Amino acid sequence: MIDEAHRSVYRKYKAIFEYFDSLLVGLTATPKDEVDRDTYRLFDLQTGVPTDNYNLDEAVKDGFLLPPKAVSLTTDFLDRGIRYDQLSDEEKEAWDALEWQFDLVVFRAELALLHVDPAFNDLRTRITEIASLLEELPNVPTVAAEMELILEIQTDEFWQDITLPMLETVRRRLRALVKLIEYKKRTLVYSDFEDSAGAAANVMVPGIPVGTDMDAFRRKARLFLKPHENQMAVLKVKRNQPLTPTDLKELERIFLEAGVDETALERYRPKAGFRVSSAP
């Protein structure tokens, strides 16, 4: 059983999912449903249609979560940003050094490629490591815009017929992104900026999408009930009519034939909320 199963779409975590030769149960509140990053595909599901779904409204109704309260709050940095020329000379030097270090690595790789220098392999590894670190920042828009290149750099195919123009393209497109990487041993640069908050206002949140196609999920449930729709027990459930003990046994039989674990049915016996009729 794996929590945060949406991480299966990323190379580092996907290897964990593929390693275990067993049935997988994945839990996630944010499944991915993109063409090249699809959480559903790992579990052989139709995109947007989970095996089961417990949504926010249900969790709030059951008392497990509180309803969200959204507040719109702005700051000067968000409204106007901060410009390079507003940095001190020391801050500019530290900021620029990150880009220059990446430039230096790529320039050395270009020279090594040109002179068929064995040092090229170590430089290739360094560039690949940087791309791997950038891959972990998919929520940063500027990184997401270059994600196709970032992923390609980490493949052997990219380096098989590498050329100087290809390396130069990597340098130009990624040099501004390397400063976003949190290196474990990177020297910390402290900036003492003072921001000011604007007025806060409550806002309405119409819905929080989590990648689940609820219409398709309902169709899946209806498809499950289709073969049994004319049985009396199912008809009573659809019409919200009282159920007899015989009806409950019939419903249990339907679930068991569909592969539902018997212990899971304990949650739905009369003590869990079924309204049972005293009629025979």
Side-chain angles (χ1 to χ4, degrees), residues 6-7 10 30 32 34 37 133-145 147 150 180:
H6 58 275
R7 296 184 180 274
Y10 299 109
T30 55
K32 298 290 184 181
E34 302 166 13
R37 297 176 182 272
L133 292 171
L134 287 173
E135 184 186 355
E136 297 178 4
L137 303 173
N139 295 326
V140 179
T142 51
V143 175
M147 190 59 71
I150 291 169
L180 303 173

Side-chain angles (χ1 to χ4, degrees), residues 30-232:
T30 55
K32 298 290 184 181
D33 59 356
E34 302 166 13
V35 173
D36 58 338
R37 297 176 182 272
D38 192 336
T39 307
Y40 298 93
R41 188 181 303 126
L42 177 69
F43 297 93
D44 297 323
L45 296 172
Q46 177 185 342
T47 299
V49 186
T51 304
D52 198 5
N53 178 67
Y54 188 62
N55 61 41
L56 175 62
D57 292 337
E58 291 177 298
V60 171
K61 183 178 178 181
D62 293 342
F64 294 115
L65 294 177
L66 294 174
K69 179 181 179 182
V71 177
S72 175
L73 178 65
T74 185
T75 68
D76 286 345
F77 283 176
L78 289 176
D79 286 344
R80 293 185 288 275
I82 183 168
R83 298 182 179 278
Y84 180 81
D85 55 16
Q86 293 176 297
L87 300 176
S88 67
D89 291 340
E90 183 179 352
E91 290 166 339
K92 289 178 181 178
E93 183 177 351
W95 190 256
D96 292 340
L98 301 175
E99 293 183 3
W100 294 339
Q101 289 171 14
F102 181 68
D103 285 345
L104 184 60
V105 171
V106 180
F107 285 148
R108 285 177 175 173
E110 292 176 358
L111 286 174
L113 178 64
L114 190 62
H115 296 289
V116 196
D117 189 332
F120 177 79
N121 291 328
D122 291 335
L123 294 165
R124 165 189 167 175
T125 300
R126 180 62 183 139
I127 295 172
T128 303
E129 288 174 350
I130 293 173
S132 178
L133 292 171
L134 287 173
E135 184 186 355
E136 297 178 4
L137 303 173
N139 295 326
V140 179
T142 51
V143 175
E146 299 292 353
M147 190 59 71
E148 183 177 355
L149 174 62
I150 291 169
L151 295 174
E152 187 179 7
I153 291 171
Q154 300 176 66
T155 65
D156 290 334
E157 291 79 4
F158 178 82
W159 297 94
Q160 283 179 357
D161 298 309
I162 192 71
T163 63
L164 291 178
M166 290 172 64
L167 282 173
E168 186 61 16
T169 296
V170 170
R171 186 189 70 81
R172 287 188 292 100
R173 289 173 60 177
L174 301 188
R175 69 185 305 270
L177 305 182
V178 294
K179 65 173 69 74
L180 303 173
I181 298 174
E182 290 292 336
Y183 293 103
K184 293 181 180 179
K185 297 182 180 180
R186 194 172 76 182
T187 303
L188 294 178
V189 179
Y190 294 96
S191 299
D192 186 15
F193 296 126
E194 183 175 342
D195 197 5
S196 58
N202 293 333
V203 296
M204 296 296 295
V205 180
I208 303 177
V210 294
T212 299
D213 187 337
M214 290 304 298
D215 289 335
F217 180 69
R218 294 187 184 97
R219 288 196 297 271
K220 179 180 179 180
R222 286 196 293 269
L223 185 63
F224 169 77
L225 292 173
K226 184 70 174 176
H228 312 284
E229 62 182 354
N230 292 323
Q231 296 191 21
M232 185 58 66

